[in-house]
Amino acid sequence: MQKGKIGVSSDNLFPIIKKFLYSDHDIFLREIVSNAVDATQKLKTLAARGETAVSVENAKVSVSFDAEAKTITVSDNGIGMTAEEVEKYINQIAFSGANEFLDKYKDDANAIIGHFGLGFYSSFMVSHEVEVVTKSYKEGSTAVRWTCDGSPEYTLEEAERAGNGTDIIMHVNEESEEFLDKARLGEILNKYCKFLPIPVVFGKKTEWKEGKEVETEEDNQLNDVAPAWTKKPVDLKDEDYSSFYRQLYPMGEDPLFNIHLNVDYPFELTGILYFPKLKNTIEVQKNKIQLYCNQVFVTDSVEGIVPDFLTLLHGVIDSPDIPLNVSRSYLQSDSNVKKISSHITKKVADRLSQLFKENREEFEKKWDDLKIFIEYGMLSEEKFEEKAKSFFLFKTTDGKYFTLEEYEKLIADSQTDKDNNLIYLYTSNEEEQFTFIQEAKNKGYDVLVMDDVLSTHLINKFEQQYNNKRFVRIDSDVVNNLIRKEDESEHLTVAEREELSPVFQSVCPADNGVNYVVDFKSMGENGQPMVITRNEFMRRMKDMSKLQGGGGMNFYGDLPESLNLVVNTDHPLVKKVLAEKEAALSADLETVNAALAMLKAEQESLEKAKEGKKEEEVAAADNEKLEELQKNISNLEGEKRGKLEAFGKDNKLAKQMVDLALLANGLLKGADLDKFVRRSVELIN
């Protein structure tokens, strides 16, 4: 028996391996099984080259555990090791046998997983002692046993083993006894090893007999050694892709379509990406794309290898050219990663373009499920946006679809304003904004449906790119002002507006956190008596604030809601209220207005006398008189406003028209809605 020390520079290496080298505690099983697959692949390569007569027909890796003995064993019938090779590859940490083997057999080596020489030592994460029993495939070889308790001390002695291969026997420590469980081990093996290229066996298959589960003689193979992404696209049918998707996501809804990645230059990359059906919001899609390295699971957090918008996809990416650290748990950013990321983006864009060109009808049917993904890509990836403009679609309220170029031609004649801006009208909610949509259509306008969470951001991007294009939500103004063909003419004087505004302001809701601004427009006798609109700029800012969760946009999110109550001065009912106002208040208002006119004339005269004088040159009596005049004017204006508000509050017709406008926008609820119904009955009677 030989004793010795492992070739390390510090006694602290093993604690570092156990605590810091690997990000996930269960990773030890992946590393040990992967090493066993490597050893088997090596033997298959030698057999294929005719350098050994050892049979590889029943090549496999077996995983077993003994709860009583507290051991986990990983066995293979691969290349094995001689005593000298144990010294070289195990006792000299970080000398990678896989790398040396690749150098020698780089042209025809099967998928060799072990990039580094530290994978074996992950066994000490869960073990207080590790045994290696191994026998080389070489004729005349003797089996040896290597034993280590996690310190640099080890023993190496002759042993017995029936055939070539290696057994790794891990004596599990107290902290890791959770792994001495069939279900737990099965879960880890399924996570990391389900697509390894060599059969991985975990016990025997079971079946129900006489009311209980019993083992059969058949090996329980956990993995698919030839998953769909390792095959050529020409060898696969649609049902193969569907079957593989269900293999990856047993509970998932069927995807829309897929992209098969198969690149061998300037880097190796294979995989299958699936487009899931996305709802109208960006769903959290973590752990959907799985990253593999030569069929070994690496991670399902692929933010470092694919652009952010592509993380909405599902599927598998496999590449030996993705640089990994020693634990294979974190991606390292380098030029290869960037090239692969760009290539995947290009392939996705090309596939979408192909689908659009080959079968536009089918593409349109899938658009509602695709648009969030495409919009996200256009907002976050410039190169994707360039390609996406050819297959991005606008959907109209009539259920028709147009490309950017097609839609511009469609609305150019009817929706160009007086300043030569092309106006894109849109709705964010067809049901809530139905009346506005109908009025726009009656004027011959077309209306887009832009109702998802990214629409506001996309609209802003389009407007920044095209100076002569503006997007206007259908409820941001009255229909005559959505696309201004000529300068708006005023139908009321300033004085008339000042008198009318308090009448209708007084019957606007005052306790729902909304600020109402009363405005007056000529909308025709057949138009609505009153319409509630939302300022386009402020609404967009508030929408973006909600989506971003505050930040720099928080200022807008904290502002109260501001709505415009637009009064149609042409409508008979509005004219009736104005006539009632004149009848009820004309005498009082005439007296107040006359008094105000006298005070303002005197104020104007004193202000004119002050012009060109320094403050000290103005008589104190004049300043005092001005202050008194301003106070009297303010009091009279307050008195006038009070009379107008009192009239408005007592006028059932004014209140009824305001409530009708609120009701049309879903803003009339609770007690106010009940009062409206009762008042409606009263007015009808």
Side-chain angles (χ1 to χ4, degrees), residues 492-568:
L492 295 175
T493 65
V494 174
E496 288 173 328
R497 287 171 177 267
E498 288 178 351
E499 284 195 5
L500 289 177
S501 183
V503 172
F504 297 107
Q505 190 81 56
S506 66
V507 288
C508 288
D511 57 355
N512 61 354
V514 179
N515 178 41
Y516 289 90
V517 178
V518 178
D519 194 8
F520 300 90
K521 302 283 184 185
S522 173
M523 296 185 284
E525 291 185 359
N526 296 323
Q528 295 295 324
M530 294 184 187
V531 176
I532 290 176
T533 64
R534 291 166 167 80
N535 179 274
E536 179 76 15
F537 174 78
M538 289 302 299
R539 182 194 51 73
R540 281 198 211 177
M541 295 303 102
K542 291 178 76 69
D543 287 349
M544 291 177 71
S545 176
K546 290 176 186 176
L547 184 62
Q548 293 178 5
M553 305 293 294
N554 219 19
F555 168 76
Y556 293 102
D558 293 338
L559 289 175
E561 182 77 25
S562 182
L563 302 177
N564 301 316
L565 177 67
V566 185
V567 180
N568 181 4

Coordinates of all heavy atoms in Angstrom, one line a residue, residues 492-568:
L492 N -66.3 80.7 -28.3 CA -66.8 81.5 -27.1 C -65.7 82.5 -26.8 O -64.5 82.2 -26.9 CB -67.0 80.6 -25.9 CG -68.1 79.5 -26.0 CD1 -68.1 78.6 -24.8 CD2 -69.5 80.2 -26.1
T493 N -66.1 83.6 -26.2 CA -65.1 84.6 -25.8 C -64.5 84.2 -24.4 O -65.1 83.3 -23.8 CB -65.8 86.0 -25.6 OG1 -66.8 85.9 -24.5 CG2 -66.5 86.5 -26.8
V494 N -63.5 84.8 -24.0 CA -62.8 84.5 -22.8 C -63.8 84.7 -21.6 O -63.9 83.9 -20.7 CB -61.6 85.3 -22.5 CG1 -61.0 85.1 -21.1 CG2 -60.5 85.0 -23.6
A495 N -64.6 85.8 -21.7 CA -65.5 86.1 -20.6 C -66.6 85.0 -20.6 O -67.0 84.6 -19.5 CB -66.2 87.5 -20.9
E496 N -67.1 84.6 -21.7 CA -68.1 83.5 -21.7 C -67.6 82.2 -21.2 O -68.3 81.5 -20.4 CB -68.6 83.3 -23.2 CG -69.5 84.4 -23.7 CD -69.8 84.3 -25.2 OE1 -68.9 83.7 -25.9 OE2 -70.9 84.7 -25.6
R497 N -66.4 81.9 -21.5 CA -65.7 80.7 -20.9 C -65.6 80.8 -19.4 O -65.9 79.8 -18.7 CB -64.4 80.4 -21.5 CG -64.4 80.0 -22.9 CD -63.0 80.0 -23.5 NE -63.0 79.5 -24.9 CZ -62.7 78.2 -25.2 NH1 -62.4 77.3 -24.3 NH2 -62.8 77.8 -26.5
E498 N -65.2 82.0 -18.9 CA -65.1 82.1 -17.5 C -66.4 82.0 -16.7 O -66.4 81.5 -15.6 CB -64.5 83.5 -17.2 CG -63.0 83.6 -17.6 CD -62.5 85.0 -17.4 OE1 -63.3 86.0 -17.1 OE2 -61.2 85.2 -17.5
E499 N -67.5 82.3 -17.4 CA -68.8 82.2 -16.8 C -69.4 80.8 -16.8 O -70.0 80.3 -15.9 CB -69.8 83.2 -17.4 CG -69.6 84.6 -17.0 CD -70.8 85.5 -17.3 OE1 -71.8 84.9 -17.8 OE2 -70.8 86.7 -17.0
L500 N -69.0 80.1 -17.9 CA -69.6 78.8 -18.1 C -68.8 77.7 -17.3 O -69.4 76.7 -16.8 CB -69.6 78.4 -19.6 CG -70.6 79.1 -20.5 CD1 -70.5 78.7 -21.9 CD2 -72.0 78.8 -20.0
S501 N -67.5 77.9 -17.2 CA -66.7 76.9 -16.6 C -67.1 76.5 -15.2 O -67.3 75.3 -14.8 CB -65.2 77.4 -16.6 OG -64.4 76.4 -16.0
P502 N -67.4 77.5 -14.3 CA -67.8 77.1 -12.9 C -69.1 76.3 -12.9 O -69.4 75.5 -12.0 CB -68.0 78.5 -12.2 CG -67.2 79.4 -13.0 CD -67.3 78.9 -14.4
V503 N -70.0 76.6 -13.8 CA -71.3 75.9 -13.8 C -71.1 74.4 -13.9 O -71.7 73.6 -13.2 CB -72.2 76.4 -15.0 CG1 -73.4 75.5 -15.1 CG2 -72.6 77.8 -14.8
F504 N -70.2 73.9 -14.9 CA -70.0 72.5 -15.1 C -68.9 72.0 -14.1 O -69.0 70.8 -13.8 CB -69.7 72.3 -16.5 CG -70.7 72.6 -17.5 CD1 -70.6 73.8 -18.3 CD2 -71.9 71.9 -17.6 CE1 -71.7 74.1 -19.2 CE2 -72.9 72.2 -18.4 CZ -72.8 73.3 -19.2
Q505 N -68.0 72.8 -13.7 CA -67.0 72.4 -12.8 C -67.6 72.0 -11.4 O -67.2 71.1 -10.8 CB -66.0 73.5 -12.5 CG -64.7 73.1 -11.8 CD -63.7 72.4 -12.6 OE1 -63.3 72.9 -13.6 NE2 -63.3 71.2 -12.2
S506 N -68.7 72.7 -11.1 CA -69.3 72.5 -9.8 C -70.0 71.1 -9.7 O -70.2 70.6 -8.6 CB -70.4 73.5 -9.5 OG -71.5 73.4 -10.5
V507 N -70.3 70.5 -10.8 CA -70.9 69.2 -10.8 C -70.0 68.0 -11.2 O -70.4 66.9 -11.3 CB -72.2 69.1 -11.7 CG1 -73.3 70.0 -11.1 CG2 -71.9 69.6 -13.1
C508 N -68.7 68.4 -11.3 CA -67.7 67.3 -11.5 C -67.4 66.6 -10.2 O -67.4 67.3 -9.1 CB -66.4 67.9 -12.1 SG -66.5 68.4 -13.8
P509 N -67.1 65.3 -10.2 CA -66.7 64.7 -8.9 C -65.5 65.4 -8.2 O -64.6 65.8 -8.9 CB -66.3 63.2 -9.3 CG -67.0 63.1 -10.6 CD -67.0 64.4 -11.3
A510 N -65.6 65.5 -6.9 CA -64.5 66.3 -6.2 C -63.8 65.4 -5.2 O -62.9 65.9 -4.6 CB -65.1 67.5 -5.5
D511 N -64.1 64.1 -5.1 CA -63.5 63.3 -4.0 C -63.0 62.0 -4.5 O -62.8 61.0 -3.8 CB -64.6 63.0 -3.0 CG -65.8 62.3 -3.5 OD1 -65.9 62.2 -4.8 OD2 -66.7 62.0 -2.7
N512 N -62.6 61.9 -5.8 CA -62.1 60.6 -6.3 C -60.6 60.7 -6.8 O -60.2 59.9 -7.6 CB -63.0 60.1 -7.5 CG -63.0 61.0 -8.7 OD1 -62.5 62.1 -8.6 ND2 -63.7 60.6 -9.7
G513 N -59.9 61.8 -6.4 CA -58.5 61.9 -6.7 C -58.3 62.3 -8.2 O -57.1 62.0 -8.7
V514 N -59.3 62.8 -8.9 CA -59.1 63.2 -10.3 C -59.4 64.6 -10.4 O -60.3 65.2 -9.9 CB -60.1 62.4 -11.2 CG1 -59.9 62.8 -12.6 CG2 -59.9 60.9 -11.0
N515 N -58.5 65.3 -11.2 CA -58.7 66.7 -11.5 C -59.3 66.9 -12.8 O -58.8 66.4 -13.8 CB -57.3 67.4 -11.5 CG -57.4 68.9 -11.8 OD1 -58.3 69.6 -11.3 ND2 -56.5 69.4 -12.6
Y516 N -60.5 67.6 -12.8 CA -61.2 67.8 -14.1 C -61.0 69.2 -14.6 O -61.2 70.2 -13.9 CB -62.7 67.5 -13.9 CG -63.1 66.1 -13.7 CD1 -63.1 65.5 -12.4 CD2 -63.3 65.2 -14.7 CE1 -63.3 64.2 -12.2 CE2 -63.6 63.9 -14.5 CZ -63.6 63.4 -13.2 OH -63.9 62.1 -13.0
V517 N -60.6 69.3 -15.9 CA -60.4 70.6 -16.5 C -61.6 70.8 -17.5 O -61.7 70.0 -18.5 CB -59.1 70.7 -17.2 CG1 -58.9 72.0 -17.9 CG2 -57.9 70.4 -16.2
V518 N -62.4 71.8 -17.4 CA -63.5 72.1 -18.2 C -63.1 72.8 -19.5 O -62.3 73.8 -19.4 CB -64.6 72.8 -17.5 CG1 -65.8 73.1 -18.5 CG2 -65.1 72.0 -16.3
D519 N -63.5 72.3 -20.6 CA -63.1 73.0 -21.9 C -64.4 73.0 -22.8 O -65.3 72.3 -22.5 CB -62.0 72.2 -22.6 CG -61.4 73.1 -23.7 OD1 -61.7 74.3 -23.8 OD2 -60.6 72.5 -24.5
F520 N -64.4 73.9 -23.8 CA -65.6 74.1 -24.6 C -65.1 73.9 -26.1 O -64.2 74.5 -26.5 CB -66.2 75.4 -24.4 CG -66.6 75.6 -23.0 CD1 -65.8 76.2 -22.0 CD2 -67.9 75.3 -22.6 CE1 -66.2 76.4 -20.7 CE2 -68.3 75.4 -21.2 CZ -67.4 76.0 -20.3
K521 N -65.9 73.1 -26.8 CA -65.6 72.8 -28.2 C -66.9 72.8 -29.0 O -68.0 72.5 -28.5 CB -64.9 71.5 -28.5 CG -63.6 71.3 -27.7 CD -62.5 72.1 -28.4 CE -61.2 71.7 -27.6 NZ -60.0 72.5 -28.2
S522 N -66.8 73.2 -30.3 CA -68.0 73.1 -31.2 C -67.9 71.7 -31.8 O -67.0 71.5 -32.6 CB -67.9 74.2 -32.2 OG -68.9 74.0 -33.2
M523 N -68.8 70.8 -31.5 CA -68.8 69.4 -32.0 C -70.0 69.1 -32.7 O -70.3 67.9 -33.0 CB -68.6 68.5 -30.8 CG -67.2 68.6 -30.1 SD -66.9 67.4 -28.8 CE -68.0 68.0 -27.5
G524 N -70.9 70.0 -33.1 CA -72.0 69.8 -33.9 C -73.2 69.4 -33.0 O -73.1 68.8 -31.9
E525 N -74.4 69.6 -33.5 CA -75.7 69.3 -32.8 C -75.8 67.8 -32.5 O -76.4 67.4 -31.5 CB -76.9 69.8 -33.5 CG -77.0 71.3 -33.6 CD -78.3 71.8 -34.2 OE1 -79.0 70.9 -34.7 OE2 -78.5 73.0 -34.3
N526 N -75.3 67.0 -33.4 CA -75.5 65.5 -33.3 C -74.3 64.9 -32.5 O -74.3 63.7 -32.2 CB -75.5 64.9 -34.7 CG -76.8 65.3 -35.4 OD1 -77.8 65.5 -34.8 ND2 -76.6 65.5 -36.7
G527 N -73.3 65.7 -32.1 CA -72.3 65.1 -31.2 C -72.7 64.9 -29.8 O -73.8 65.3 -29.4
Q528 N -71.9 64.3 -29.0 CA -72.2 64.1 -27.6 C -72.3 65.4 -26.9 O -71.5 66.3 -27.2 CB -71.2 63.2 -26.9 CG -71.2 61.8 -27.4 CD -72.4 61.0 -27.1 OE1 -73.1 61.2 -26.1 NE2 -72.9 60.2 -28.1
P529 N -73.2 65.6 -25.9 CA -73.2 66.9 -25.2 C -71.9 67.2 -24.4 O -71.4 68.3 -24.3 CB -74.4 66.8 -24.2 CG -74.6 65.3 -24.1 CD -74.2 64.7 -25.4
M530 N -71.3 66.1 -23.9 CA -70.0 66.3 -23.2 C -69.2 65.0 -23.4 O -69.7 63.9 -23.5 CB -70.2 66.4 -21.7 CG -70.9 67.7 -21.3 SD -71.0 67.9 -19.5 CE -72.1 69.4 -19.4
V531 N -67.9 65.2 -23.5 CA -66.9 64.1 -23.7 C -65.8 64.3 -22.7 O -65.3 65.4 -22.5 CB -66.4 64.1 -25.1 CG1 -65.3 63.0 -25.3 CG2 -67.5 63.9 -26.1
I532 N -65.3 63.1 -22.2 CA -64.2 63.2 -21.3 C -63.0 62.7 -22.1 O -63.0 61.6 -22.7 CB -64.4 62.3 -20.0 CG1 -65.4 63.0 -19.1 CG2 -63.1 62.1 -19.3 CD1 -65.8 62.2 -17.9
T533 N -61.9 63.4 -22.1 CA -60.7 63.0 -22.9 C -59.5 63.0 -21.9 O -59.6 63.6 -20.8 CB -60.4 64.0 -24.0 OG1 -60.1 65.3 -23.5 CG2 -61.5 64.0 -25.0
R534 N -58.4 62.4 -22.3 CA -57.2 62.3 -21.5 C -56.0 62.9 -22.2 O -55.8 62.5 -23.4 CB -56.9 60.8 -21.2 CG -57.9 60.2 -20.2 CD -57.8 58.7 -20.2 NE -58.5 58.1 -19.1 CZ -59.8 57.8 -19.1 NH1 -60.5 58.2 -20.2 NH2 -60.4 57.3 -18.1
N535 N -55.3 63.8 -21.6 CA -54.1 64.4 -22.2 C -53.1 63.3 -22.6 O -52.7 62.5 -21.8 CB -53.5 65.4 -21.3 CG -52.3 66.1 -21.8 OD1 -51.2 65.5 -21.7 ND2 -52.5 67.2 -22.5
E536 N -52.8 63.3 -23.9 CA -51.9 62.3 -24.5 C -50.5 62.2 -23.7 O -50.1 61.2 -23.3 CB -51.7 62.5 -26.0 CG -50.8 61.5 -26.6 CD -51.4 60.2 -26.9 OE1 -52.7 60.1 -26.8 OE2 -50.7 59.2 -27.2
F537 N -49.9 63.4 -23.6 CA -48.6 63.4 -23.0 C -48.6 62.9 -21.5 O -47.8 62.0 -21.2 CB -48.0 64.8 -23.0 CG -46.6 64.9 -22.3 CD1 -45.5 64.5 -22.9 CD2 -46.6 65.5 -21.0 CE1 -44.3 64.6 -22.2 CE2 -45.4 65.6 -20.4 CZ -44.2 65.1 -21.0
M538 N -49.5 63.5 -20.7 CA -49.5 63.1 -19.3 C -49.9 61.6 -19.1 O -49.3 60.9 -18.3 CB -50.5 64.0 -18.6 CG -50.0 65.4 -18.4 SD -48.5 65.5 -17.5 CE -48.9 64.7 -15.9
R539 N -50.8 61.1 -20.0 CA -51.2 59.7 -19.8 C -50.1 58.8 -20.1 O -49.8 57.8 -19.5 CB -52.4 59.4 -20.7 CG -52.9 58.0 -20.6 CD -53.8 57.7 -21.8 NE -53.2 58.0 -23.1 CZ -52.3 57.3 -23.6 NH1 -51.7 56.3 -23.0 NH2 -51.8 57.6 -24.8
R540 N -49.3 59.1 -21.2 CA -48.1 58.3 -21.6 C -47.1 58.3 -20.4 O -46.6 57.2 -20.1 CB -47.5 58.8 -22.8 CG -48.2 58.4 -24.1 CD -47.2 58.6 -25.3 NE -47.9 59.0 -26.5 CZ -47.3 59.2 -27.6 NH1 -46.0 59.2 -27.7 NH2 -48.0 59.5 -28.7
M541 N -46.8 59.4 -19.9 CA -45.8 59.5 -18.8 C -46.3 58.7 -17.6 O -45.5 58.0 -17.0 CB -45.6 60.9 -18.4 CG -45.0 61.8 -19.5 SD -43.4 61.2 -20.1 CE -43.9 60.5 -21.7
K542 N -47.6 58.7 -17.3 CA -48.1 58.0 -16.1 C -48.0 56.5 -16.4 O -47.7 55.6 -15.6 CB -49.5 58.4 -15.8 CG -49.6 59.8 -15.1 CD -51.0 60.2 -14.8 CE -51.5 59.5 -13.6 NZ -50.8 60.0 -12.4
D543 N -48.4 56.1 -17.7 CA -48.3 54.7 -18.1 C -46.9 54.1 -18.0 O -46.6 53.0 -17.5 CB -48.8 54.5 -19.5 CG -50.3 54.6 -19.6 OD1 -51.0 54.7 -18.5 OD2 -50.8 54.7 -20.7
M544 N -45.9 54.9 -18.4 CA -44.5 54.5 -18.4 C -44.0 54.4 -17.0 O -43.2 53.5 -16.6 CB -43.6 55.4 -19.2 CG -43.9 55.3 -20.7 SD -42.9 56.5 -21.7 CE -41.3 55.8 -21.6
S545 N -44.5 55.3 -16.1 CA -44.1 55.3 -14.7 C -44.6 54.0 -14.0 O -43.9 53.4 -13.3 CB -44.7 56.5 -14.0 OG -44.4 56.5 -12.6
K546 N -45.8 53.6 -14.4 CA -46.3 52.3 -13.8 C -45.5 51.2 -14.2 O -45.2 50.3 -13.4 CB -47.8 52.1 -14.2 CG -48.8 53.1 -13.6 CD -50.2 52.9 -14.2 CE -51.2 53.9 -13.7 NZ -52.5 53.8 -14.3
L547 N -45.1 51.1 -15.5 CA -44.4 50.0 -16.1 C -43.0 49.9 -15.5 O -42.5 48.8 -15.2 CB -44.3 50.1 -17.6 CG -43.7 48.9 -18.3 CD1 -44.4 47.6 -18.0 CD2 -43.6 49.2 -19.8
Q548 N -42.4 51.1 -15.3 CA -41.0 51.1 -14.8 C -40.9 51.0 -13.3 O -39.8 50.9 -12.7 CB -40.3 52.4 -15.3 CG -40.1 52.4 -16.8 CD -39.5 53.7 -17.2 OE1 -39.1 54.6 -16.4 NE2 -39.3 53.9 -18.5
G549 N -42.1 51.1 -12.6 CA -42.1 51.0 -11.2 C -41.4 52.2 -10.5 O -40.8 52.1 -9.4
G550 N -41.6 53.4 -11.1 CA -41.0 54.6 -10.4 C -39.8 55.0 -11.1 O -39.7 55.3 -12.3
G551 N -38.7 55.1 -10.4 CA -37.4 55.6 -10.9 C -37.5 57.0 -11.4 O -38.2 57.9 -10.7
G552 N -36.9 57.4 -12.5 CA -36.9 58.7 -13.0 C -38.3 59.2 -13.4 O -38.6 60.4 -13.5
M553 N -39.2 58.2 -13.6 CA -40.6 58.6 -14.1 C -41.5 58.8 -12.9 O -42.7 59.0 -13.0 CB -41.1 57.5 -15.0 CG -40.3 57.2 -16.2 SD -40.2 58.6 -17.4 CE -41.9 58.6 -17.9
N554 N -41.0 58.6 -11.7 CA -41.9 58.6 -10.5 C -42.7 59.9 -10.3 O -43.8 59.9 -9.8 CB -41.0 58.4 -9.2 CG -41.7 57.5 -8.2 OD1 -42.6 56.8 -8.6 ND2 -41.3 57.5 -7.0
F555 N -42.1 61.0 -10.8 CA -42.7 62.3 -10.7 C -44.1 62.3 -11.3 O -45.1 62.8 -10.7 CB -41.8 63.4 -11.3 CG -42.5 64.7 -11.5 CD1 -42.8 65.6 -10.5 CD2 -43.0 65.1 -12.8 CE1 -43.4 66.8 -10.7 CE2 -43.7 66.3 -13.0 CZ -43.9 67.1 -11.9
Y556 N -44.2 61.7 -12.5 CA -45.4 61.6 -13.2 C -46.4 60.7 -12.6 O -47.6 60.9 -12.5 CB -45.2 61.2 -14.7 CG -44.5 62.2 -15.5 CD1 -43.1 62.1 -15.7 CD2 -45.1 63.4 -15.9 CE1 -42.4 63.0 -16.5 CE2 -44.4 64.4 -16.7 CZ -43.0 64.2 -16.9 OH -42.3 65.1 -17.6
G557 N -45.9 59.6 -12.0 CA -46.7 58.6 -11.4 C -47.4 59.1 -10.1 O -48.5 58.7 -9.8
D558 N -46.8 60.1 -9.5 CA -47.3 60.7 -8.2 C -48.3 61.8 -8.5 O -49.1 62.2 -7.6 CB -46.2 61.2 -7.4 CG -45.3 60.1 -6.8 OD1 -45.8 59.0 -6.8 OD2 -44.1 60.4 -6.5
L559 N -48.4 62.3 -9.7 CA -49.3 63.4 -10.0 C -50.8 62.8 -10.1 O -51.0 61.7 -10.4 CB -49.0 64.0 -11.4 CG -47.7 64.8 -11.5 CD1 -47.5 65.2 -12.9 CD2 -47.8 66.0 -10.6
P560 N -51.7 63.6 -9.6 CA -53.1 63.2 -9.7 C -53.6 63.0 -11.1 O -53.1 63.6 -12.1 CB -53.9 64.3 -9.0 CG -53.0 65.5 -9.2 CD -51.6 65.0 -9.1
E561 N -54.6 62.2 -11.3 CA -55.1 62.0 -12.7 C -55.8 63.2 -13.1 O -56.5 63.9 -12.4 CB -56.2 60.8 -12.6 CG -56.8 60.5 -14.0 CD -55.9 59.6 -14.8 OE1 -55.0 59.0 -14.3 OE2 -56.0 59.7 -16.1
S562 N -55.5 63.6 -14.4 CA -56.1 64.9 -14.9 C -56.9 64.5 -16.2 O -56.4 63.9 -17.1 CB -55.0 65.9 -15.3 OG -55.6 67.1 -15.7
L563 N -58.2 64.9 -16.2 CA -59.1 64.6 -17.3 C -59.7 65.9 -17.8 O -60.0 66.8 -17.0 CB -60.2 63.6 -16.9 CG -59.8 62.2 -16.3 CD1 -61.0 61.4 -15.9 CD2 -59.0 61.5 -17.3
N564 N -60.0 65.9 -19.1 CA -60.7 67.0 -19.7 C -62.1 66.8 -19.9 O -62.5 65.8 -20.5 CB -60.1 67.3 -21.1 CG -58.6 67.6 -21.0 OD1 -58.1 68.3 -20.1 ND2 -57.8 67.0 -21.9
L565 N -63.0 67.6 -19.3 CA -64.4 67.6 -19.6 C -64.7 68.6 -20.7 O -64.7 69.8 -20.5 CB -65.2 67.9 -18.3 CG -66.7 68.0 -18.5 CD1 -67.3 66.6 -18.7 CD2 -67.4 68.6 -17.3
V566 N -64.9 68.0 -21.9 CA -65.2 68.9 -23.1 C -66.7 69.1 -23.3 O -67.4 68.1 -23.5 CB -64.5 68.3 -24.3 CG1 -64.6 69.2 -25.5 CG2 -63.0 68.0 -24.0
V567 N -67.1 70.3 -23.2 CA -68.5 70.6 -23.3 C -68.8 71.0 -24.8 O -68.1 71.9 -25.4 CB -68.9 71.8 -22.4 CG1 -70.4 72.1 -22.5 CG2 -68.6 71.4 -21.0
N568 N -69.8 70.4 -25.4 CA -70.2 70.7 -26.8 C -71.1 71.9 -26.8 O -72.3 71.8 -26.5 CB -70.8 69.4 -27.4 CG -71.2 69.6 -28.8 OD1 -70.9 70.7 -29.5 ND2 -71.9 68.6 -29.4

